[in-house]
Amino acid sequence: MNNHNSFRHAVVMGAGPAGLTTAYELSKHGIGATVLEKDPEYVGGIARTAQHNGYRFDIGGHRFFSKNLEVEDLWTEILGDEMLTCNRLSRIYYRGKYFDYPLKATNALLSLGPVETVRCMASYAWAKLTPVREPRNLEDWVRNQFGERLFQIFFKTYTEKVWGISTSELSADWAAQRIKGLDLTQVLKNALLPPRELKERGEVIKTLIDEFRYPRFGPGQLWETVRDLMAERGQPVQMGQTVERIRHENGRVVSVEVRDQAGSVRQVRGSDFVSSLPVRELVLKLDPAPPRAVLAAARSLSYRDFLSVVLMIRRRELFPDNWIYIHEPGVQVGRIQNFKNWSRWMVPDEETTCLGLEYFCFEDDQLWKSTDEELIALGTREVVQLGMCERAEIFDGAVVRQRKAYPVYDDVYLDHLGTIRQWLDANVPNLHLCGRNGMHKYNNQDHSMLTALLVARNIAGVTKLDPWKVNADAEYHEEVRDGEQDLSGRQMPSRVREEEPVA
Ligand SMILES: Cc1cc2nc3c(=O)[nH]c(=O)nc-3n(C[C@H](O)[C@H](O)[C@H](O)COP(=O)(O)OP(=O)(O)OC[C@H]3O[C@@H](n4cnc5c(N)ncnc54)[C@H](O)[C@@H]3O)c2cc1C
């Protein structure tokens, strides 16, 4: 919180949902902001909508759904009728068959067929007779609850594609928290008994939501509109401007050093500085550098990257789903988006379809280093192998790469984030962190936006709320105290810990 009342101008690093929400909210309080974005073309960050020859596509697929009504209202305030309501259909594809997602016992067993169903039941019975005592890894935990065969079909391949780690190396904690006490007997009981009535909105389980909102032209439309509104208010977002250094002196950040596309460097000054940059990059850009322990903590933060191969196909309809989870072994693609089924305005020609094939990877993987041509060839091979279309129907393609799509939660990240936060709070209190990578939180847009709203209001002096107390559902939780376990990020699997030495 600021204690100086003189000149107020914020410098906002990044024009993703967090950065743009900060600037938009600050403008409501009469405080100017210079928004610096390194991308020369797109605003919206990971929630941008990229374009290729008239086709529009997301980085992933961005559902607009929030338990936070203020965020929902903000979407309506900015886009009005341009926010469409979509029905959700997403299924699992495995060995030529589609399974409902979220999984439904009767549908799953019917689709597997009688022979496989008997095998799954026998394997479940065997798991119950021979459970792994105190399962520590995900594989043993899921096998205990569902049996080996169902584990192989519905858990193993997709989890390994997303996280790039064998399920035998992933900790059981994540599954235990997400799937709670559920096992096959419970699932079958639920399938046969009438559903319990949901009492309030908060009770709806995330994956069960079958409706969501979506801007007519994709999530980028929201952020392009905010960009345009900011320009109308005399504060255009500065594109192609990479923040390279963050200078601080006497306990305050005083300026950031920015490099433009042509390579020229300038200083941008302000009274408050807001960062949605990945925490690791932010800390390494501080000048003078913070102590070695803080730098080491920043360097230890890690990320998972993501790329999407977009294929344009000359066929009116391929499948009715918004997206499909690919559990099929033998292909690398993890999920396939069908953008036309999100909004028909995402394709320029209704006789065609645009698919986004999602590959989860690390930036030093061979996959990431492949050329666009190689990736389009891979995507083409896989989509044909999956039987979704003919090779001859594919007439165009593009590749979108997203570094640091997912901040990784490993055993040490919370301690290291704590070290960083403590140093920043004590040494540069006019530097405010918000957003997904900006706070190293694996969360959705609504979380990024609410943290940004709080930061803006703190700067304006109208509130004094701690953005770190916003949870994964974009709800503010005052009761989280310093030092308590941080549950504000979505749950994510981590590696099995080393065995505790026996005393
Ligand atoms: C595959 C996938 C699917 C998703 N699906 C959904 C969904 O269905 N619904 C949903 O609500 N959310 C979804 N999300 C999450 C959503 O994309 C993020 O929560 C949101 O984009 C985070 O916004 P942000 O502003 O915090 O960060 P970002 O979007 O990462 O924006 C940060 C911005 O900072 C800029 N920047 C970085 N470094 C610099 C620098 N040095 N100088 C200047 N600028 C810089 C970047 O270019 C970027 O524009 C999904 C994310 C992924 C990866």
Side-chain angles (χ1 to χ4, degrees), residues 130-159:
T130 60
V132 178
R133 307 253 167 244
E134 295 177 28
R136 299 180 69 240
N137 66 42
L138 188 92
E139 195 158 322
D140 290 343
W141 193 92
V142 179
R143 180 192 168 278
N144 276 359
Q145 309 297 106
F146 296 93
E148 174 72 23
R149 283 196 90 86
L150 284 173
F151 161 73
Q152 291 282 345
I153 297 171
F154 292 118
F155 295 90
K156 186 176 166 64
T157 34
Y158 188 70
T159 309

PDB file of all heavy atoms in Angstrom, residues 130-159:
ATOM      1  N   THR A 130      -5.783 -57.687  -3.551  1.00  0.00           N
ATOM      2  CA  THR A 130      -4.333 -57.508  -3.368  1.00  0.00           C
ATOM      3  C   THR A 130      -3.976 -56.019  -3.399  1.00  0.00           C
ATOM      4  O   THR A 130      -3.197 -55.584  -4.250  1.00  0.00           O
ATOM      5  CB  THR A 130      -3.570 -58.209  -4.503  1.00  0.00           C
ATOM      6  OG1 THR A 130      -4.003 -57.607  -5.748  1.00  0.00           O
ATOM      7  CG2 THR A 130      -3.805 -59.691  -4.535  1.00  0.00           C
ATOM      8  N   PRO A 131      -4.566 -55.190  -2.521  1.00  0.00           N
ATOM      9  CA  PRO A 131      -4.280 -53.747  -2.610  1.00  0.00           C
ATOM     10  C   PRO A 131      -2.831 -53.434  -2.243  1.00  0.00           C
ATOM     11  O   PRO A 131      -2.221 -54.181  -1.478  1.00  0.00           O
ATOM     12  CB  PRO A 131      -5.234 -53.154  -1.563  1.00  0.00           C
ATOM     13  CG  PRO A 131      -5.478 -54.249  -0.588  1.00  0.00           C
ATOM     14  CD  PRO A 131      -5.392 -55.540  -1.353  1.00  0.00           C
ATOM     15  N   VAL A 132      -2.334 -52.363  -2.805  1.00  0.00           N
ATOM     16  CA  VAL A 132      -1.006 -51.878  -2.394  1.00  0.00           C
ATOM     17  C   VAL A 132      -1.226 -51.151  -1.075  1.00  0.00           C
ATOM     18  O   VAL A 132      -2.008 -50.204  -1.011  1.00  0.00           O
ATOM     19  CB  VAL A 132      -0.424 -50.905  -3.449  1.00  0.00           C
ATOM     20  CG1 VAL A 132       0.921 -50.355  -3.012  1.00  0.00           C
ATOM     21  CG2 VAL A 132      -0.335 -51.582  -4.802  1.00  0.00           C
ATOM     22  N   ARG A 133      -0.586 -51.613  -0.025  1.00  0.00           N
ATOM     23  CA  ARG A 133      -0.756 -50.978   1.284  1.00  0.00           C
ATOM     24  C   ARG A 133      -0.068 -49.614   1.253  1.00  0.00           C
ATOM     25  O   ARG A 133       1.026 -49.496   0.733  1.00  0.00           O
ATOM     26  CB  ARG A 133      -0.143 -51.826   2.399  1.00  0.00           C
ATOM     27  CG  ARG A 133      -0.631 -53.250   2.411  1.00  0.00           C
ATOM     28  CD  ARG A 133      -1.594 -53.532   3.556  1.00  0.00           C
ATOM     29  NE  ARG A 133      -2.269 -54.821   3.327  1.00  0.00           N
ATOM     30  CZ  ARG A 133      -3.560 -54.979   3.133  1.00  0.00           C
ATOM     31  NH1 ARG A 133      -4.376 -53.961   3.164  1.00  0.00           N
ATOM     32  NH2 ARG A 133      -4.083 -56.185   2.902  1.00  0.00           N
ATOM     33  N   GLU A 134      -0.691 -48.591   1.800  1.00  0.00           N
ATOM     34  CA  GLU A 134      -0.155 -47.230   1.842  1.00  0.00           C
ATOM     35  C   GLU A 134       0.410 -46.789   0.489  1.00  0.00           C
ATOM     36  O   GLU A 134       1.607 -46.590   0.342  1.00  0.00           O
ATOM     37  CB  GLU A 134       0.915 -47.098   2.923  1.00  0.00           C
ATOM     38  CG  GLU A 134       0.321 -47.298   4.302  1.00  0.00           C
ATOM     39  CD  GLU A 134       1.366 -47.240   5.396  1.00  0.00           C
ATOM     40  OE1 GLU A 134       2.386 -46.558   5.183  1.00  0.00           O
ATOM     41  OE2 GLU A 134       1.138 -47.860   6.425  1.00  0.00           O
ATOM     42  N   PRO A 135      -0.446 -46.673  -0.537  1.00  0.00           N
ATOM     43  CA  PRO A 135       0.049 -46.297  -1.872  1.00  0.00           C
ATOM     44  C   PRO A 135       0.674 -44.908  -1.848  1.00  0.00           C
ATOM     45  O   PRO A 135       0.080 -43.990  -1.289  1.00  0.00           O
ATOM     46  CB  PRO A 135      -1.210 -46.315  -2.732  1.00  0.00           C
ATOM     47  CG  PRO A 135      -2.332 -46.121  -1.772  1.00  0.00           C
ATOM     48  CD  PRO A 135      -1.911 -46.752  -0.489  1.00  0.00           C
ATOM     49  N   ARG A 136       1.857 -44.778  -2.430  1.00  0.00           N
ATOM     50  CA  ARG A 136       2.526 -43.475  -2.407  1.00  0.00           C
ATOM     51  C   ARG A 136       2.475 -42.826  -3.784  1.00  0.00           C
ATOM     52  O   ARG A 136       2.537 -41.611  -3.893  1.00  0.00           O
ATOM     53  CB  ARG A 136       3.973 -43.624  -1.932  1.00  0.00           C
ATOM     54  CG  ARG A 136       4.043 -44.185  -0.511  1.00  0.00           C
ATOM     55  CD  ARG A 136       5.457 -44.328  -0.024  1.00  0.00           C
ATOM     56  NE  ARG A 136       6.070 -43.036   0.183  1.00  0.00           N
ATOM     57  CZ  ARG A 136       7.156 -42.620  -0.436  1.00  0.00           C
ATOM     58  NH1 ARG A 136       7.761 -43.388  -1.298  1.00  0.00           N
ATOM     59  NH2 ARG A 136       7.643 -41.429  -0.202  1.00  0.00           N
ATOM     60  N   ASN A 137       2.373 -43.643  -4.817  1.00  0.00           N
ATOM     61  CA  ASN A 137       2.322 -43.011  -6.139  1.00  0.00           C
ATOM     62  C   ASN A 137       0.914 -43.113  -6.739  1.00  0.00           C
ATOM     63  O   ASN A 137       0.079 -43.891  -6.281  1.00  0.00           O
ATOM     64  CB  ASN A 137       3.409 -43.581  -7.066  1.00  0.00           C
ATOM     65  CG  ASN A 137       3.179 -45.038  -7.397  1.00  0.00           C
ATOM     66  OD1 ASN A 137       2.066 -45.448  -7.663  1.00  0.00           O
ATOM     67  ND2 ASN A 137       4.245 -45.834  -7.371  1.00  0.00           N
ATOM     68  N   LEU A 138       0.698 -42.275  -7.766  1.00  0.00           N
ATOM     69  CA  LEU A 138      -0.628 -42.168  -8.383  1.00  0.00           C
ATOM     70  C   LEU A 138      -1.108 -43.503  -8.948  1.00  0.00           C
ATOM     71  O   LEU A 138      -2.275 -43.880  -8.816  1.00  0.00           O
ATOM     72  CB  LEU A 138      -0.531 -41.132  -9.508  1.00  0.00           C
ATOM     73  CG  LEU A 138      -1.834 -40.751 -10.149  1.00  0.00           C
ATOM     74  CD1 LEU A 138      -2.400 -39.546  -9.446  1.00  0.00           C
ATOM     75  CD2 LEU A 138      -1.629 -40.401 -11.607  1.00  0.00           C
ATOM     76  N   GLU A 139      -0.157 -44.236  -9.543  1.00  0.00           N
ATOM     77  CA  GLU A 139      -0.486 -45.507 -10.180  1.00  0.00           C
ATOM     78  C   GLU A 139      -1.082 -46.476  -9.153  1.00  0.00           C
ATOM     79  O   GLU A 139      -2.152 -47.060  -9.383  1.00  0.00           O
ATOM     80  CB  GLU A 139       0.812 -46.074 -10.766  1.00  0.00           C
ATOM     81  CG  GLU A 139       0.605 -47.168 -11.725  1.00  0.00           C
ATOM     82  CD  GLU A 139       1.807 -47.316 -12.661  1.00  0.00           C
ATOM     83  OE1 GLU A 139       2.409 -46.301 -13.085  1.00  0.00           O
ATOM     84  OE2 GLU A 139       2.137 -48.457 -12.962  1.00  0.00           O
ATOM     85  N   ASP A 140      -0.400 -46.632  -8.032  1.00  0.00           N
ATOM     86  CA  ASP A 140      -0.872 -47.582  -7.016  1.00  0.00           C
ATOM     87  C   ASP A 140      -2.187 -47.109  -6.407  1.00  0.00           C
ATOM     88  O   ASP A 140      -3.085 -47.901  -6.126  1.00  0.00           O
ATOM     89  CB  ASP A 140       0.181 -47.739  -5.902  1.00  0.00           C
ATOM     90  CG  ASP A 140       1.403 -48.480  -6.411  1.00  0.00           C
ATOM     91  OD1 ASP A 140       1.286 -49.130  -7.472  1.00  0.00           O
ATOM     92  OD2 ASP A 140       2.467 -48.394  -5.778  1.00  0.00           O
ATOM     93  N   TRP A 141      -2.325 -45.790  -6.222  1.00  0.00           N
ATOM     94  CA  TRP A 141      -3.543 -45.263  -5.597  1.00  0.00           C
ATOM     95  C   TRP A 141      -4.765 -45.520  -6.484  1.00  0.00           C
ATOM     96  O   TRP A 141      -5.774 -46.044  -6.040  1.00  0.00           O
ATOM     97  CB  TRP A 141      -3.392 -43.766  -5.313  1.00  0.00           C
ATOM     98  CG  TRP A 141      -4.468 -43.248  -4.402  1.00  0.00           C
ATOM     99  CD1 TRP A 141      -4.422 -43.152  -3.042  1.00  0.00           C
ATOM    100  CD2 TRP A 141      -5.777 -42.773  -4.786  1.00  0.00           C
ATOM    101  NE1 TRP A 141      -5.608 -42.654  -2.558  1.00  0.00           N
ATOM    102  CE2 TRP A 141      -6.460 -42.420  -3.604  1.00  0.00           C
ATOM    103  CE3 TRP A 141      -6.430 -42.624  -6.001  1.00  0.00           C
ATOM    104  CZ2 TRP A 141      -7.758 -41.912  -3.609  1.00  0.00           C
ATOM    105  CZ3 TRP A 141      -7.732 -42.135  -6.016  1.00  0.00           C
ATOM    106  CH2 TRP A 141      -8.379 -41.779  -4.818  1.00  0.00           C
ATOM    107  N   VAL A 142      -4.627 -45.178  -7.769  1.00  0.00           N
ATOM    108  CA  VAL A 142      -5.781 -45.343  -8.680  1.00  0.00           C
ATOM    109  C   VAL A 142      -6.068 -46.833  -8.890  1.00  0.00           C
ATOM    110  O   VAL A 142      -7.224 -47.260  -8.924  1.00  0.00           O
ATOM    111  CB  VAL A 142      -5.539 -44.618 -10.026  1.00  0.00           C
ATOM    112  CG1 VAL A 142      -6.721 -44.822 -10.959  1.00  0.00           C
ATOM    113  CG2 VAL A 142      -5.316 -43.128  -9.800  1.00  0.00           C
ATOM    114  N   ARG A 143      -5.004 -47.634  -8.984  1.00  0.00           N
ATOM    115  CA  ARG A 143      -5.197 -49.081  -9.159  1.00  0.00           C
ATOM    116  C   ARG A 143      -5.984 -49.641  -7.973  1.00  0.00           C
ATOM    117  O   ARG A 143      -6.907 -50.441  -8.154  1.00  0.00           O
ATOM    118  CB  ARG A 143      -3.821 -49.743  -9.276  1.00  0.00           C
ATOM    119  CG  ARG A 143      -3.881 -51.241  -9.458  1.00  0.00           C
ATOM    120  CD  ARG A 143      -2.518 -51.882  -9.280  1.00  0.00           C
ATOM    121  NE  ARG A 143      -2.642 -53.334  -9.184  1.00  0.00           N
ATOM    122  CZ  ARG A 143      -2.956 -53.978  -8.065  1.00  0.00           C
ATOM    123  NH1 ARG A 143      -3.178 -53.306  -6.940  1.00  0.00           N
ATOM    124  NH2 ARG A 143      -3.053 -55.303  -8.059  1.00  0.00           N
ATOM    125  N   ASN A 144      -5.657 -49.237  -6.766  1.00  0.00           N
ATOM    126  CA  ASN A 144      -6.394 -49.707  -5.581  1.00  0.00           C
ATOM    127  C   ASN A 144      -7.882 -49.376  -5.677  1.00  0.00           C
ATOM    128  O   ASN A 144      -8.725 -50.152  -5.282  1.00  0.00           O
ATOM    129  CB  ASN A 144      -5.864 -49.024  -4.318  1.00  0.00           C
ATOM    130  CG  ASN A 144      -4.639 -49.723  -3.755  1.00  0.00           C
ATOM    131  OD1 ASN A 144      -4.207 -50.733  -4.299  1.00  0.00           O
ATOM    132  ND2 ASN A 144      -4.086 -49.183  -2.684  1.00  0.00           N
ATOM    133  N   GLN A 145      -8.188 -48.181  -6.217  1.00  0.00           N
ATOM    134  CA  GLN A 145      -9.593 -47.731  -6.224  1.00  0.00           C
ATOM    135  C   GLN A 145     -10.381 -48.273  -7.419  1.00  0.00           C
ATOM    136  O   GLN A 145     -11.588 -48.421  -7.330  1.00  0.00           O
ATOM    137  CB  GLN A 145      -9.684 -46.193  -6.271  1.00  0.00           C
ATOM    138  CG  GLN A 145      -8.871 -45.439  -5.243  1.00  0.00           C
ATOM    139  CD  GLN A 145      -9.287 -45.714  -3.828  1.00  0.00           C
ATOM    140  OE1 GLN A 145      -8.606 -46.408  -3.083  1.00  0.00           O
ATOM    141  NE2 GLN A 145     -10.431 -45.184  -3.443  1.00  0.00           N
ATOM    142  N   PHE A 146      -9.697 -48.452  -8.557  1.00  0.00           N
ATOM    143  CA  PHE A 146     -10.428 -48.784  -9.798  1.00  0.00           C
ATOM    144  C   PHE A 146      -9.932 -50.046 -10.512  1.00  0.00           C
ATOM    145  O   PHE A 146     -10.555 -50.482 -11.468  1.00  0.00           O
ATOM    146  CB  PHE A 146     -10.355 -47.604 -10.785  1.00  0.00           C
ATOM    147  CG  PHE A 146     -11.035 -46.371 -10.267  1.00  0.00           C
ATOM    148  CD1 PHE A 146     -10.328 -45.399  -9.583  1.00  0.00           C
ATOM    149  CD2 PHE A 146     -12.397 -46.180 -10.450  1.00  0.00           C
ATOM    150  CE1 PHE A 146     -10.957 -44.256  -9.082  1.00  0.00           C
ATOM    151  CE2 PHE A 146     -13.037 -45.048  -9.959  1.00  0.00           C
ATOM    152  CZ  PHE A 146     -12.317 -44.092  -9.272  1.00  0.00           C
ATOM    153  N   GLY A 147      -8.808 -50.583 -10.095  1.00  0.00           N
ATOM    154  CA  GLY A 147      -8.241 -51.738 -10.792  1.00  0.00           C
ATOM    155  C   GLY A 147      -7.286 -51.311 -11.891  1.00  0.00           C
ATOM    156  O   GLY A 147      -7.371 -50.198 -12.412  1.00  0.00           O
ATOM    157  N   GLU A 148      -6.397 -52.251 -12.261  1.00  0.00           N
ATOM    158  CA  GLU A 148      -5.323 -51.947 -13.210  1.00  0.00           C
ATOM    159  C   GLU A 148      -5.851 -51.564 -14.608  1.00  0.00           C
ATOM    160  O   GLU A 148      -5.397 -50.604 -15.212  1.00  0.00           O
ATOM    161  CB  GLU A 148      -4.406 -53.182 -13.298  1.00  0.00           C
ATOM    162  CG  GLU A 148      -3.305 -53.121 -14.339  1.00  0.00           C
ATOM    163  CD  GLU A 148      -2.182 -52.168 -13.961  1.00  0.00           C
ATOM    164  OE1 GLU A 148      -2.014 -51.896 -12.755  1.00  0.00           O
ATOM    165  OE2 GLU A 148      -1.486 -51.681 -14.885  1.00  0.00           O
ATOM    166  N   ARG A 149      -6.865 -52.262 -15.089  1.00  0.00           N
ATOM    167  CA  ARG A 149      -7.298 -52.025 -16.476  1.00  0.00           C
ATOM    168  C   ARG A 149      -7.935 -50.643 -16.630  1.00  0.00           C
ATOM    169  O   ARG A 149      -7.649 -49.914 -17.579  1.00  0.00           O
ATOM    170  CB  ARG A 149      -8.275 -53.110 -16.941  1.00  0.00           C
ATOM    171  CG  ARG A 149      -7.584 -54.407 -17.282  1.00  0.00           C
ATOM    172  CD  ARG A 149      -8.483 -55.324 -18.087  1.00  0.00           C
ATOM    173  NE  ARG A 149      -8.349 -55.121 -19.532  1.00  0.00           N
ATOM    174  CZ  ARG A 149      -7.431 -55.731 -20.274  1.00  0.00           C
ATOM    175  NH1 ARG A 149      -6.547 -56.536 -19.731  1.00  0.00           N
ATOM    176  NH2 ARG A 149      -7.372 -55.522 -21.576  1.00  0.00           N
ATOM    177  N   LEU A 150      -8.808 -50.273 -15.691  1.00  0.00           N
ATOM    178  CA  LEU A 150      -9.433 -48.942 -15.802  1.00  0.00           C
ATOM    179  C   LEU A 150      -8.378 -47.848 -15.628  1.00  0.00           C
ATOM    180  O   LEU A 150      -8.439 -46.798 -16.264  1.00  0.00           O
ATOM    181  CB  LEU A 150     -10.549 -48.787 -14.769  1.00  0.00           C
ATOM    182  CG  LEU A 150     -11.841 -49.529 -15.120  1.00  0.00           C
ATOM    183  CD1 LEU A 150     -12.826 -49.467 -13.962  1.00  0.00           C
ATOM    184  CD2 LEU A 150     -12.500 -48.926 -16.365  1.00  0.00           C
ATOM    185  N   PHE A 151      -7.395 -48.127 -14.769  1.00  0.00           N
ATOM    186  CA  PHE A 151      -6.303 -47.164 -14.594  1.00  0.00           C
ATOM    187  C   PHE A 151      -5.595 -46.926 -15.932  1.00  0.00           C
ATOM    188  O   PHE A 151      -5.358 -45.784 -16.330  1.00  0.00           O
ATOM    189  CB  PHE A 151      -5.313 -47.680 -13.535  1.00  0.00           C
ATOM    190  CG  PHE A 151      -3.980 -47.013 -13.611  1.00  0.00           C
ATOM    191  CD1 PHE A 151      -3.821 -45.703 -13.192  1.00  0.00           C
ATOM    192  CD2 PHE A 151      -2.882 -47.682 -14.150  1.00  0.00           C
ATOM    193  CE1 PHE A 151      -2.587 -45.069 -13.304  1.00  0.00           C
ATOM    194  CE2 PHE A 151      -1.652 -47.055 -14.259  1.00  0.00           C
ATOM    195  CZ  PHE A 151      -1.509 -45.754 -13.830  1.00  0.00           C
ATOM    196  N   GLN A 152      -5.280 -48.049 -16.627  1.00  0.00           N
ATOM    197  CA  GLN A 152      -4.563 -47.937 -17.908  1.00  0.00           C
ATOM    198  C   GLN A 152      -5.391 -47.143 -18.928  1.00  0.00           C
ATOM    199  O   GLN A 152      -4.867 -46.328 -19.661  1.00  0.00           O
ATOM    200  CB  GLN A 152      -4.301 -49.341 -18.487  1.00  0.00           C
ATOM    201  CG  GLN A 152      -3.290 -50.167 -17.703  1.00  0.00           C
ATOM    202  CD  GLN A 152      -1.863 -49.748 -17.979  1.00  0.00           C
ATOM    203  OE1 GLN A 152      -1.590 -49.032 -18.943  1.00  0.00           O
ATOM    204  NE2 GLN A 152      -0.949 -50.145 -17.102  1.00  0.00           N
ATOM    205  N   ILE A 153      -6.709 -47.386 -18.935  1.00  0.00           N
ATOM    206  CA  ILE A 153      -7.548 -46.768 -19.980  1.00  0.00           C
ATOM    207  C   ILE A 153      -7.838 -45.290 -19.678  1.00  0.00           C
ATOM    208  O   ILE A 153      -7.707 -44.427 -20.539  1.00  0.00           O
ATOM    209  CB  ILE A 153      -8.882 -47.541 -20.105  1.00  0.00           C
ATOM    210  CG1 ILE A 153      -8.606 -48.978 -20.554  1.00  0.00           C
ATOM    211  CG2 ILE A 153      -9.826 -46.844 -21.087  1.00  0.00           C
ATOM    212  CD1 ILE A 153      -9.827 -49.895 -20.512  1.00  0.00           C
ATOM    213  N   PHE A 154      -8.213 -44.988 -18.436  1.00  0.00           N
ATOM    214  CA  PHE A 154      -8.748 -43.643 -18.170  1.00  0.00           C
ATOM    215  C   PHE A 154      -7.817 -42.704 -17.392  1.00  0.00           C
ATOM    216  O   PHE A 154      -8.133 -41.540 -17.219  1.00  0.00           O
ATOM    217  CB  PHE A 154     -10.096 -43.755 -17.435  1.00  0.00           C
ATOM    218  CG  PHE A 154     -11.181 -44.327 -18.302  1.00  0.00           C
ATOM    219  CD1 PHE A 154     -11.808 -45.516 -17.967  1.00  0.00           C
ATOM    220  CD2 PHE A 154     -11.560 -43.693 -19.474  1.00  0.00           C
ATOM    221  CE1 PHE A 154     -12.804 -46.039 -18.771  1.00  0.00           C
ATOM    222  CE2 PHE A 154     -12.552 -44.215 -20.289  1.00  0.00           C
ATOM    223  CZ  PHE A 154     -13.173 -45.395 -19.939  1.00  0.00           C
ATOM    224  N   PHE A 155      -6.711 -43.200 -16.876  1.00  0.00           N
ATOM    225  CA  PHE A 155      -5.868 -42.315 -16.073  1.00  0.00           C
ATOM    226  C   PHE A 155      -4.446 -42.165 -16.611  1.00  0.00           C
ATOM    227  O   PHE A 155      -3.900 -41.079 -16.633  1.00  0.00           O
ATOM    228  CB  PHE A 155      -5.778 -42.813 -14.614  1.00  0.00           C
ATOM    229  CG  PHE A 155      -7.091 -42.776 -13.892  1.00  0.00           C
ATOM    230  CD1 PHE A 155      -7.949 -43.856 -13.920  1.00  0.00           C
ATOM    231  CD2 PHE A 155      -7.481 -41.636 -13.194  1.00  0.00           C
ATOM    232  CE1 PHE A 155      -9.181 -43.819 -13.271  1.00  0.00           C
ATOM    233  CE2 PHE A 155      -8.710 -41.596 -12.545  1.00  0.00           C
ATOM    234  CZ  PHE A 155      -9.559 -42.684 -12.570  1.00  0.00           C
ATOM    235  N   LYS A 156      -3.851 -43.311 -17.007  1.00  0.00           N
ATOM    236  CA  LYS A 156      -2.408 -43.302 -17.237  1.00  0.00           C
ATOM    237  C   LYS A 156      -1.970 -42.408 -18.409  1.00  0.00           C
ATOM    238  O   LYS A 156      -1.225 -41.457 -18.214  1.00  0.00           O
ATOM    239  CB  LYS A 156      -1.924 -44.735 -17.471  1.00  0.00           C
ATOM    240  CG  LYS A 156      -0.400 -44.854 -17.569  1.00  0.00           C
ATOM    241  CD  LYS A 156       0.026 -46.321 -17.710  1.00  0.00           C
ATOM    242  CE  LYS A 156       1.459 -46.449 -18.131  1.00  0.00           C
ATOM    243  NZ  LYS A 156       2.391 -45.919 -17.129  1.00  0.00           N
ATOM    244  N   THR A 157      -2.501 -42.714 -19.621  1.00  0.00           N
ATOM    245  CA  THR A 157      -1.933 -42.032 -20.791  1.00  0.00           C
ATOM    246  C   THR A 157      -2.136 -40.518 -20.737  1.00  0.00           C
ATOM    247  O   THR A 157      -1.203 -39.757 -20.972  1.00  0.00           O
ATOM    248  CB  THR A 157      -2.522 -42.551 -22.126  1.00  0.00           C
ATOM    249  OG1 THR A 157      -3.875 -42.895 -21.920  1.00  0.00           O
ATOM    250  CG2 THR A 157      -1.755 -43.705 -22.665  1.00  0.00           C
ATOM    251  N   TYR A 158      -3.352 -40.069 -20.403  1.00  0.00           N
ATOM    252  CA  TYR A 158      -3.604 -38.629 -20.446  1.00  0.00           C
ATOM    253  C   TYR A 158      -2.780 -37.896 -19.384  1.00  0.00           C
ATOM    254  O   TYR A 158      -2.170 -36.870 -19.670  1.00  0.00           O
ATOM    255  CB  TYR A 158      -5.102 -38.337 -20.281  1.00  0.00           C
ATOM    256  CG  TYR A 158      -5.411 -36.881 -20.504  1.00  0.00           C
ATOM    257  CD1 TYR A 158      -5.321 -36.330 -21.776  1.00  0.00           C
ATOM    258  CD2 TYR A 158      -5.731 -36.048 -19.444  1.00  0.00           C
ATOM    259  CE1 TYR A 158      -5.563 -34.991 -21.997  1.00  0.00           C
ATOM    260  CE2 TYR A 158      -5.988 -34.697 -19.650  1.00  0.00           C
ATOM    261  CZ  TYR A 158      -5.901 -34.182 -20.935  1.00  0.00           C
ATOM    262  OH  TYR A 158      -6.137 -32.850 -21.143  1.00  0.00           O
ATOM    263  N   THR A 159      -2.749 -38.455 -18.159  1.00  0.00           N
ATOM    264  CA  THR A 159      -1.981 -37.796 -17.085  1.00  0.00           C
ATOM    265  C   THR A 159      -0.513 -37.678 -17.485  1.00  0.00           C
ATOM    266  O   THR A 159       0.124 -36.636 -17.277  1.00  0.00           O
ATOM    267  CB  THR A 159      -2.113 -38.605 -15.771  1.00  0.00           C
ATOM    268  OG1 THR A 159      -3.492 -38.842 -15.536  1.00  0.00           O
ATOM    269  CG2 THR A 159      -1.509 -37.879 -14.598  1.00  0.00           C
TER     270      THR A 159
END
